[in-house]
Amino acid sequence: MKATILPIAMFSSFARSFTVQSRHNISRQNAGAMILSRRWMSTPGGDTSIVEICRSKIAAALETEDVKVTGAYDDPNGSHIAIEVVSDKFDGKRPVQRQQLVYKALWEELQGPVHAVDSMICKTPAEK
């Protein structure tokens, strides 16, 4: 009888630690953002898709219209995206610095609806 109580007690405290931790990590504000991000990921009717939102944010931040954002791996929700961008703002920057500029433009989306950027090509107009 004692042998069965010990594993149950261990499992109970193990499960409780996950419950307590998750309760502290998700505030009401974050929960609202998660719901909002799910709404944006599924694009019924005339809502703007997350892919288009990402494209417009990159275009505005890098002052260019030569931006292509696609859902990678045929992902219709845009949780995985691929980015190709050509901008004068990349001139004189190393590849990592170019990527940082793009990530900065997408920071809000990376906190919610966009799970990953699967590929990123950043070029100057001269490199195009």
Side-chain angles (χ1 to χ4, degrees), residues 22-99:
S22 65
R23 231 183 294 151
H24 291 293
N25 285 341
I26 300 177
S27 66
R28 287 180 190 257
Q29 183 180 6
N30 288 343
M34 288 170 42
I35 292 168
L36 181 62
S37 69
R38 285 189 194 120
R39 181 176 153 249
W40 281 108
M41 285 175 66
S42 57
T43 56
D47 286 349
T48 305
S49 72
I50 192 62
V51 171
E52 183 54 35
I53 290 170
C54 290
R55 196 206 71 72
S56 63
K57 284 194 171 189
I58 293 168
L62 298 176
E63 300 172 1
T64 184
E65 288 302 314
D66 197 351
V67 179
K68 182 179 176 187
V69 179
T70 56
Y73 303 115
D74 298 324
D75 179 11
N77 293 327
S79 63
H80 286 250
I81 60 174
I83 300 168
E84 293 180 37
V85 60
V86 178
S87 173
D88 287 325
K89 291 209 172 204
F90 294 147
D91 196 30
K93 303 230 185 289
R94 295 178 313 217
V96 170
Q97 292 173 317
R98 295 175 182 191
Q99 291 175 357

